[in-house]
Amino acid sequence: MQHILEAIMQAEGAANPSAALASIAGLPIPESYRGMVVRADETAMFDGMEARDKDPRKSLHLQEVPTPEVGPGEALVAVMASAINYNTVWTSIFEPLSTFAFLKRYGRVSDLTKRHDLPYHVVGSDAAGVVLRVGAGVTKWKPGDQVVAHCLSVELEDAAGHDDTMMDPQQRIWGFETNFGGLAELALVKTNQLMPKPDHLSWEEAACPGLVNSTAYRQLVSHHGAQMKQGDTVLIWGASGGLGSYATQFALNGGAQPVCVVSSPEKAELCRSMGADFVIDRAAEDFRFWRDEHTQDTAEWKRFGERIRDLTGGDDPDIVFEHPGRETFGVSVFVAKRGGTVVTCASTSGYLHQYDNRYLWMNLKRIIGSHFANYREAWEANRLVARGRIHPTLSKAYPLEQTGQAAYEVHRNAHQGKVGVLCLAPEEGLGVRAPEFRARHERAINRFRGR
Ligand SMILES: NC(=O)c1ccc[n+]([C@@H]2O[C@H](COP(=O)([O-])OP(=O)(O)OC[C@H]3O[C@@H](n4cnc5c(N)ncnc54)[C@H](OP(=O)(O)O)[C@@H]3O)[C@@H](O)[C@H]2O)c1
């Protein structure tokens, strides 16, 4: 692996890094590489424990794994940096089910997908790095290209996927429902996951928006999601977290008015520093939407709705950006404006939601389910990053060896924005190819750093 890293590092100082990286095409590919894995023989290790007590530091291991063969339409990428997504938390605590079930199912699709069904799962759904090899039939990408990878893996053999690739029956999330993910020195992707790395960002900055930025884009902006428009009021749960920190930026960038919900003064400050005027600290204001495990507190729904109106001068949210799930879904449906939209992509606090349907139908509200993004949406979201309109929200970066600790912090909601992971990159700050453009956005790029 050292010779690959050396070739990439030599390009750092070169006058034309892209030309210097082209020589990577001739380098031999190592037979194995280090990847962060969960193991099939450990899936019962947390049995009987509460989800919150299951510790990713115990189940995530750095392990040498054989390099997979590169198939048609695929690429092998030298991963300089990756990031923690909540799906790696789910994988590492084997909740709501073990991801080995996904690998098994994928392995049954074809001879090529059989490679994914292994007794270890290399996790991770984000990556920034350099293309090392491409498979048969690939024309758009070549060794030496500096790329980020989005996490939509599709077979696209079925007609159903050809209007919106998220509708492909063989749609999967790379590094979660497939193997050879991004928290590793090498990663195997389909080349239609690749996008140009934004030149003004370091490897770890470029690696962190991918999954959440694309998801928030589809959920909030795309015609497949809530189709946010100028002037909309958008209620954003977890507004300084992974998804929320991008949703907040999309709202501001698109002329909408975000109402940011967070759980500490530090997070409230981060939202204000992004440009949000309206912030609710749900912890400080002690909002409790459930009286007990079975009973929601509708007086709290009303208090929350009043609080939003206080801030907005009487407006209810046109859009509610949902992902906490069970704990907040009832109040989300309640506070959405008449004719408004609740758009959901997750259920962190529980997937059996309960809401009062009278508020939905009598007030003509809609609930939209949203999941990741198609290639076009991911590309457009990435282009906004490359243009300096949306910025990474990286708060810190851990070395690959400490991925467990990084996932633990996300699991405990002890992080801000995104937590990065240095894979092959020996230090932070490498990979910037457009320093002058970067200088214009330095403050925004670093907004979450050290938090
Ligand atoms: N379907 C998809 O394509 C997709 C894509 C990305 C993520 N997801 C899912 O979306 C969820 C969030 O992901 P993320 O990356 O944004 O995670 P994250 O970085 O942990 O941020 C989530 C935020 O939600 C807030 N939150 C957590 N529990 C809450 C609760 N009970 N009530 C109110 N707010 C709560 C927290 O903010 P405060 O404590 O500050 O309020 C937290 O910062 C995860 O379940 C993830 O798996 C789905």
Side-chain angles (χ1 to χ4, degrees):
M1 199 62 66
Q2 197 53 30
H3 61 292
I4 289 173
L5 180 57
E6 274 165 19
I8 297 172
M9 291 304 288
Q10 271 166 19
E12 284 288 322
N16 183 345
S18 301
L21 279 167
S23 66
I24 219 163
L27 296 180
I29 300 294
E31 281 177 11
S32 66
Y33 66 97
R34 294 188 313 154
M36 196 47 69
V37 305
V38 291
R39 296 175 181 149
D41 60 4
E42 290 188 346
T43 55
M45 71 192 292
F46 299 131
D47 279 3
M49 292 170 73
E50 291 291 326
R52 68 181 309 279
D53 298 326
K54 299 180 181 178
D55 187 342
R57 293 172 299 187
K58 301 207 164 104
S59 53
L60 285 168
H61 309 283
L62 190 58
Q63 181 175 309
E64 198 74 20
V65 298
T67 306
E69 249 177 62
V70 183
E74 294 180 340
L76 193 67
V77 176
V79 184
M80 296 302 279
S82 181
I84 301 297
N85 284 295
Y86 215 95
N87 66 7
T88 289
V89 174
W90 296 125
T91 301
S92 67
I93 62 173
F94 308 107
E95 290 270 356
L97 73 168
S98 153
T99 46
F100 287 99
F102 300 146
L103 301 185
K104 271 217 161 354
R105 198 174 313 147
Y106 189 33
R108 287 197 289 267
V109 174
S110 73
D111 280 349
L112 208 57
T113 66
K114 219 183 264 171
R115 292 168 303 165
H116 292 255
D117 183 11
L118 293 165
Y120 55 84
H121 185 182
V122 186
V123 294
S125 300
D126 270 319
V130 179
V131 174
L132 290 180
R133 287 284 188 279
V134 294
V138 174
T139 59
K140 281 193 179 297
W141 302 94
K142 59 183 187 321
D145 285 346
Q146 299 161 77
V147 293
V148 290
H150 71 75
C151 65
L152 171 63
S153 167
V154 275
E155 306 305 308
L156 274 182
E157 288 192 292
D158 195 292
H162 281 257
D163 187 29
D164 171 14
T165 39
M166 284 305 297
M167 295 301 172
D168 191 284
Q170 298 296 341
Q171 174 272 316
R172 290 179 170 80
I173 299 297
W174 163 69
F176 179 60
E177 293 165 290
T178 78
N179 218 322
F180 316 119
L183 286 161
E185 294 172 331
L186 299 179
L188 185 73
V189 297
K190 293 181 187 291
T191 48
N192 59 17
Q193 287 176 244
L194 295 177
M195 307 186 291
K197 171 190 166 287
D199 279 340
H200 65 299
L201 299 180
S202 68
W203 296 111
E204 64 280 5
E205 289 161 355
C208 82
L211 185 148
V212 283
N213 188 41
S214 312
T215 306
Y217 182 88
R218 180 179 175 108
Q219 195 173 347
L220 204 51
V221 181
S222 166
H223 63 285
H224 293 119
Q227 297 188 75
M228 184 194 80
K229 62 181 192 326
Q230 296 180 52
D232 277 354
T233 297
V234 184
L235 181 75
I236 301 172
W237 293 103
S240 72
L243 285 169
S245 58
Y246 293 89
T248 300
Q249 293 187 70
F250 282 128
L252 291 165
N253 199 35
Q257 186 74 270
V259 179
C260 295
V261 189
V262 290
S263 66
S264 73
E266 296 75 33
K267 291 178 172 188
E269 182 44 40
L270 271 170
C271 293
R272 289 199 183 92
S273 79
M274 282 190 276
D277 293 328
F278 305 148
V279 184
I280 299 175
D281 180 338
R282 65 183 172 99
E285 299 186 32
D286 199 22
F287 282 107
R288 293 165 196 252
F289 303 116
W290 290 76
R291 243 185 249 135
D292 58 49
E293 206 185 315
H294 308 287
T295 327
Q296 301 207 49
D297 189 339
T298 53
E300 283 291 88
W301 293 1
K302 289 185 180 132
R303 184 165 76 93
F304 191 70
E306 285 306 317
R307 184 72 182 99
I308 295 168
R309 287 179 178 172
D310 281 351
L311 289 168
T312 61
D315 287 341
D316 296 326
D318 298 274
I319 301 169
V320 181
F321 186 85
E322 245 294 336
H323 52 89
R326 182 168 173 84
E327 265 188 56
T328 55
F329 206 81
V331 67
S332 289
V333 171
F334 176 75
V335 298
K337 184 178 174 173
R338 187 176 175 86
T341 301
V342 178
V343 61
T344 173
C345 76
S347 293
T348 313
S349 65
Y351 48 77
L352 290 176
H353 298 182
Q354 196 186 78
Y355 64 88
D356 187 332
N357 201 36
R358 290 171 297 179
Y359 294 111
L360 190 87
W361 100 70
M362 292 296 285
N363 296 300
L364 303 111
K365 305 181 187 187
R366 294 184 307 155
I367 295 171
I368 297 179
S370 191
H371 186 41
F372 189 61
N374 62 35
Y375 194 11
R376 173 87 188 264
E377 290 160 339
W379 188 282
E380 288 184 0
N382 183 58
R383 196 174 50 171
L384 287 165
V385 176
R387 288 183 176 177
R389 303 303 300 263
I390 298 292
H391 302 289
T393 60
L394 184 73
S395 54
K396 51 179 149 173
Y398 282 94
L400 185 58
E401 295 79 1
Q402 289 178 35
T403 300
Q405 177 64 28
Y408 174 78
E409 287 177 19
V410 173
H411 184 28
R412 302 313 299 247
N413 195 14
H415 65 299
Q416 314 282 6
K418 293 295 297 175
V419 180
V421 173
L422 299 180
C423 298
L424 283 171
E427 60 191 79
E428 295 181 34
L430 302 171
V432 176
R433 309 289 186 235
E436 280 150 32
F437 182 68
R438 179 190 178 84
R440 283 167 42 196
H441 298 289
E442 192 87 45
R443 211 162 140 236
I445 294 168
N446 288 323
R447 185 171 283 132
F448 280 66
R449 291 309 295 251
R451 304 287 194 131

